[in-house]
Amino acid sequence: MYKTLHEFGTDEITIEKSTFIGYAKPIKTEEEAVEFINEIKKKHKDARHNVWAYTVGKSMNIQRYSDDGEPQGTAGIPTLEVIKKEDLRDVVVVVTRYFGGIKLGAGGLVRAYTKGAKIGLEAGKIIEKVMYQEVRIKIDYNQLGKVQNEIMNMGYFIKDTVYEDNVEIIVYSRVNEKETVIEKIKNITSATAQISLEEEFYLSEKDGKIIL
């Protein structure tokens, strides 16, 4: 399980007449992060600063940042720190600043870039990536209602129901909970259900619920 972003997000805030636009995006590679940074820089080439930071890898083994002309330590590091504080993996953040004529000072800049990074990340929706497994359950038609109810009462996600000679219910189960599902189905079908375990994959969760 690890935390990342669900999608691209952007938001803006005005601080002492300077406009700070926070951009955030989930990425898979460093190349994707650099591409995104260049895209924002191009979009806002008239801005005073395009400060950025990113982490790549499940262990955050790649971490990069840039102050882009702001005083050292006042912009890039605070932006990276927001990502690390939220414990996010595979995320890039760019904070664009349009200078409004009032200098913020070192402390003011740190607070402003921290806020700019936060609003970008919030707009992109912070989620957890959780390892799931597809569980296929084949049963007779007369068992359908009981099995469906049980699965839904247990809070599992039914991906699909296929109606052929028998009924096949395709369920997404957290990997660490699949044994519970299997046991329950065996019990309520007197072990007549055919159960097969398919591929494992990451799904996005927010507040414990799957987001597709």
Side-chain angles (χ1 to χ4, degrees):
M1 186 188 296
Y2 65 97
K3 284 169 74 184
T4 186
L5 280 191
H6 185 55
E7 60 197 1
F8 165 81
T10 181
D11 200 354
E12 67 177 72
I13 189 169
T14 302
I15 300 169
E16 298 285 5
K17 295 186 178 174
S18 278
T19 300
F20 292 84
I21 310 167
Y23 291 96
K25 188 184 176 186
I27 40 104
K28 294 274 195 303
T29 62
E30 190 164 15
E31 288 73 28
E32 275 184 45
V34 172
E35 200 177 298
F36 180 70
I37 291 161
N38 290 335
E39 200 180 294
I40 301 300
K41 278 183 169 180
K42 195 174 168 186
K43 181 178 179 179
H44 293 293
K45 54 178 182 287
D46 58 334
R48 180 70 72 93
H49 307 282
N50 287 291
V51 167
W52 53 263
Y54 60 82
T55 69
V56 182
K58 301 295 175 289
S59 57
M60 283 194 192
N61 47 316
I62 298 173
Q63 299 180 18
R64 304 267 188 272
Y65 65 88
S66 165
D67 292 313
D68 194 37
E70 291 283 27
Q72 192 177 353
T74 63
I77 286 180
T79 301
L80 180 64
E81 282 305 314
V82 175
I83 297 173
K84 288 166 71 174
K85 202 172 177 184
E86 290 289 355
D87 199 26
L88 303 177
R89 309 296 197 268
D90 297 336
V91 165
V92 58
V93 172
V94 182
V95 183
T96 297
R97 180 189 186 190
Y98 282 93
F99 185 56
I102 299 172
K103 293 197 169 180
L104 298 180
L109 284 172
V110 169
R111 285 190 294 277
Y113 280 103
T114 297
K115 185 69 181 165
K118 271 186 178 160
I119 59 174
L121 289 169
E122 281 163 11
K125 290 198 203 77
I126 293 172
I127 45 121
E128 287 185 322
K129 286 284 188 185
V130 181
M131 189 63 87
Y132 272 77
Q133 187 158 20
E134 185 176 289
V135 182
R136 289 177 173 254
I137 304 158
K138 272 191 180 170
I139 49 171
D140 291 332
Y141 276 85
N142 60 7
Q143 298 171 315
L144 180 59
K146 195 170 28 168
V147 172
Q148 272 180 332
N149 285 341
E150 196 58 54
I151 291 168
M152 283 158 82
N153 288 341
M154 289 166 74
Y156 288 94
F157 183 85
I158 296 177
K159 169 66 174 66
D160 206 358
T161 307
V162 182
Y163 301 94
E164 289 176 342
D165 294 345
N166 292 17
V167 186
E168 185 173 51
I169 303 173
I170 301 162
V171 175
Y172 286 169
S173 164
R174 282 182 167 207
V175 166
N176 60 356
E177 293 173 358
K178 65 187 177 195
E179 298 306 331
T180 311
V181 186
I182 292 167
E183 269 319 299
K184 201 77 176 173
I185 300 304
K186 280 182 177 171
N187 286 344
I188 60 174
T189 63
S190 308
T192 56
Q194 291 176 40
I195 302 169
S196 61
L197 294 173
E198 305 298 325
E199 61 175 336
E200 293 183 4
F201 44 84
Y202 279 107
L203 282 179
S204 303
E205 276 190 13
K206 187 159 183 69
D207 303 325
K209 292 200 166 44
I210 293 173
I211 306 178
L212 292 175

